Amino acid sequence: MIEIRECSKTFGDICAVKKVSLDIGDREVFGLVGSNGAGKSTLLRMAAGIMQPDTGEILVDGIQVYENEEAKEKIFYISDNSYFPANYTPRDMVRLYRNYYSLFDVQRFSKLMELFHLDEKRKINTFSKGMKKQLLAILGVSAGTKYLFCDETFDGLDPVMRQAVKSLFASEIMNREFTPVIASHNLRELEDICDHIGLLHKGGILLSRDLEDMKFHIHKVQCVLSDKKKEKELEKELEVLKIQRQGSLLLITARGTRLEILERIQSKNPLFCEVIPLTLEEIFICETEVAGYEIKNIFF
């Protein structure tokens, strides 16, 4: 488990991270989302022990991570702008990382390189951006660390490769102690893989929620009622977050379980009623508006 407690980091007059507290549980995919400049990369670097927080502390499995070799050996960090030494091949990178990660699995690495159709002997500087991202993900998985920090790792991957990397992460979680932490500015990239989401805004955590719990307690329903009076009654009886009308069709986003919401609507004898799946983006729009923010002001 990773525990981040009241961590802050400033660079001159810029406060990159401000009093952030987070818990990242074992064997879950944690998504750290926020706009560019929200503080995601700084927070990941501190969690990886690369930077020291100005205030607060970060514990990895109960031990301080900064300047602690035992803690750092549990973490593989993939930077958004990773550096590869000149003329290095993937095999050279393996020899380099084996010096730092005692559990690095060379056979696993070679097998994954073959599956992703990447040449171990080819110079990395001839790889495309997407190929470099794939290589880094393979190196991270092969290192055998408990935690893998990914900073915009899916950026530059085509849809097929993006899904392949997600499947690789899911397989690792099933077979060993493995916890990926994925930082991204794109909500859609994380929707089908993350168990928990933390929203970072202007250096602070706006909300941190279990994704399934969020989906369980917010639903969107479209229905047609026989008269306006029943619509008004329904608005008062439900914890409505958002309501829209398209002709006779009423679109309601409300907080509560699916059963609770449907029971209320069915009591009004609707002419038509259907639950519509909510996207992660729609859920966040609801949550941030309740917190007094507009999603467009966070991500755009």
Side-chain angles (χ1 to χ4, degrees):
M1 182 177 184
I2 296 175
E3 302 167 82
I4 301 173
R5 297 284 176 261
E6 291 288 308
C7 282
S8 297
K9 186 69 178 179
T10 59
F11 300 97
D13 296 330
I14 300 171
C15 183
V17 174
K18 184 178 180 181
K19 294 184 178 180
V20 168
S21 293
L22 273 179
D23 287 332
I24 300 174
D26 291 342
R27 300 183 83 162
E28 70 175 16
V29 183
F30 191 99
L32 186 64
V33 297
S35 60
N36 293 325
K40 302 185 300 298
S41 296
T42 301
L43 184 60
L44 279 187
R45 290 189 184 109
M46 289 193 295
I50 298 169
M51 288 181 179
Q52 183 178 20
D54 295 333
T55 60
E57 65 175 1
I58 299 176
L59 304 177
V60 175
D61 293 341
I63 55 178
Q64 293 277 355
V65 67
Y66 187 71
E67 292 189 340
N68 189 323
E69 189 175 327
E70 181 186 353
K72 287 185 178 183
E73 195 172 0
K74 297 173 181 279
I75 299 165
F76 193 99
Y77 170 67
I78 300 176
S79 170
D80 184 23
N81 297 304
S82 294
Y83 167 76
F84 297 99
N87 297 320
Y88 260 45
T89 66
R91 282 188 179 179
D92 293 326
M93 294 301 297
V94 169
R95 283 192 286 270
L96 175 65
Y97 281 125
R98 286 185 71 188
N99 294 323
Y100 301 98
Y101 297 104
S102 59
L103 297 178
F104 198 103
D105 190 335
V106 178
Q107 290 185 336
R108 174 80 165 139
F109 174 81
S110 295
K111 183 178 179 180
L112 288 173
M113 289 290 286
E114 186 177 343
L115 287 172
F116 278 76
H117 305 292
L118 297 175
D119 187 353
E120 293 183 47
K121 301 177 184 178
R122 180 174 164 182
K123 290 183 179 179
I124 300 171
N125 59 17
T126 66
F127 281 14
S128 67
K129 179 181 178 181
M131 292 166 70
K132 289 177 182 177
K133 294 281 187 178
Q134 293 169 52
L135 171 60
L136 287 165
I138 293 169
L139 286 166
V141 167
S142 302
T145 58
K146 182 177 179 181
Y147 302 101
L148 177 62
F149 293 168
C150 305
D151 193 355
E152 303 288 358
T153 298
F154 297 131
D155 185 30
L157 294 180
D158 63 54
V160 174
M161 285 299 108
R162 188 180 298 128
Q163 193 57 48
V165 172
K166 289 178 180 180
S167 297
L168 175 60
F169 288 175
S171 175
E172 291 299 305
I173 292 170
M174 291 290 291
N175 293 302
R176 66 181 178 92
E177 278 196 307
F178 181 66
T179 303
V181 181
I182 305 170
S184 177
H185 64 276
N186 191 332
L187 287 169
R188 291 186 180 91
E189 283 185 352
L190 304 180
E191 185 162 12
D192 61 346
I193 187 174
C194 288
D195 302 303
H196 196 102
I197 295 285
L199 176 57
L200 199 62
H201 180 53
K202 293 184 178 179
I205 286 291
L206 188 58
L207 60 89
S208 177
R209 301 276 177 84
D210 181 85
L211 187 54
E212 285 303 312
D213 184 61
M214 289 171 68
K215 289 181 176 180
F216 183 75
H217 287 99
I218 298 178
H219 293 85
K220 186 176 183 179
V221 181
Q222 59 180 6
C223 61
V224 177
L225 300 176
S226 56
D227 59 62
K228 296 288 184 181
K229 183 182 177 181
K230 290 183 178 180
E231 290 184 13
K232 295 295 182 183
E233 291 174 356
L234 198 58
E235 286 182 45
K236 292 179 182 178
E237 294 173 10
L238 291 174
E239 189 178 346
V240 176
L241 300 175
K242 189 175 183 179
I243 191 164
Q244 298 170 286
R245 287 183 177 82
Q246 296 177 2
S248 61
L249 191 67
L250 194 65
L251 293 168
I252 302 171
T253 304
R255 198 182 299 278
T257 67
R258 178 189 178 104
L259 181 60
E260 290 168 346
I261 294 169
L262 284 177
E263 281 182 347
R264 288 290 184 182
I265 295 174
Q266 293 294 347
S267 70
K268 306 302 177 186
N269 298 313
L271 303 174
F272 169 78
C273 181
E274 180 185 28
V275 178
I276 305 171
L278 275 167
T279 65
L280 179 58
E281 189 170 308
E282 287 176 311
I283 292 171
F284 265 70
I285 287 170
C286 294
E287 292 285 3
T288 54
E289 285 179 348
V290 169
Y293 293 88
E294 287 189 40
I295 202 80
K296 64 181 181 182
N297 293 332
I298 295 175
F299 286 93
F300 304 103

